[in-house]
Amino acid sequence: MGHTGYSAKENVNNIETVHLHFGLELVFDESQKESNNEIWINCYELTKFLSRNRSKVYKVEGTKEWKRVTEIRLPEVDAAN
């Protein structure tokens, strides 16, 4: 948590509200790290997608496991079978 991602004191973006900033970078080869060919994923869109497609779960008694109430079904896979 922070103001800019740089430090708790610095405010280079004029952001006064503390917020969470996170991202996901895809690296297929070590040569891509720290290069101009980075691939960044917009995690906000991914988070919204996952939120819209949540599944109810239940805890398996006597274990630390959780299971989905309804298994995920993909219509395109069902149609192929």
Side-chain angles (χ1 to χ4, degrees):
M1 300 295 286
H3 291 278
T4 65
Y6 299 109
S7 73
K9 297 177 185 176
E10 189 176 357
N11 187 12
V12 297
N13 296 327
N14 293 320
I15 298 172
E16 299 295 332
T17 305
V18 174
H19 64 280
L20 174 65
H21 177 90
F22 73 100
L24 175 67
E25 179 186 9
L26 295 179
V27 178
F28 297 103
D29 185 274
E30 286 294 316
S31 66
Q32 292 177 324
K33 290 176 84 172
E34 307 300 328
S35 73
N36 292 332
N37 297 323
E38 296 172 327
I39 301 172
W40 285 92
I41 304 299
N42 181 345
C43 292
Y44 181 62
E45 295 301 322
L46 179 59
T47 303
K48 288 192 308 186
F49 171 79
L50 293 173
S51 179
R52 285 192 309 267
N53 294 282
R54 285 184 284 192
S55 174
K56 291 186 178 188
V57 297
Y58 66 93
K59 186 169 185 187
V60 179
E61 284 297 319
T63 72
K64 296 181 182 179
E65 304 258 338
W66 291 83
K67 299 274 185 174
R68 288 185 181 91
V69 172
T70 306
E71 288 300 317
I72 295 174
R73 300 204 51 173
L74 300 173
E76 60 272 16
V77 173
D78 291 341
N81 292 329

